[in-house]
Amino acid sequence: MERREKRSVEQPKPFTPGVTKSMVRQHAYAIFRDKLPQHPLTLEDWVLAEKDLVSSMQLGELPVEG
């Protein structure tokens, strides 16, 4: 059985128009509060945070910046 080790990565550029890195970073740190700072965020974490942020913005739970 192959064991994968999750590595931290630099924050990727957001793929959603109108969403900035700082918006995603702030949201990621809010939803992964229990994981940080002991475990750095992975690429999957950044993508999940952006998707969750966009979903929250579409539902009207968060204000849309712009």
Side-chain angles (χ1 to χ4, degrees):
M1 180 178 272
E2 188 176 319
R3 182 176 178 178
R4 291 185 183 181
E5 187 174 315
K6 290 189 175 187
R7 291 185 240 161
S8 69
V9 294
E10 287 190 30
Q11 181 181 0
K13 181 179 174 186
F15 56 87
T16 308
V19 175
T20 64
K21 277 184 156 184
S22 62
M23 292 167 65
V24 175
R25 184 179 317 115
Q26 182 179 2
H27 192 69
Y29 288 144
I31 63 175
F32 292 115
R33 199 176 344 204
D34 58 330
K35 183 176 182 176
L36 296 169
Q38 296 87 0
H39 303 286
L41 298 179
T42 63
L43 180 60
E44 291 96 9
D45 295 336
W46 288 115
V47 172
L48 179 64
E50 182 177 350
K51 287 181 179 181
D52 188 64
L53 173 63
V54 171
S55 176
S56 296
M57 290 168 64
Q58 289 174 342
L59 293 174
E61 295 173 0
L62 295 175
V64 178
E65 294 181 16

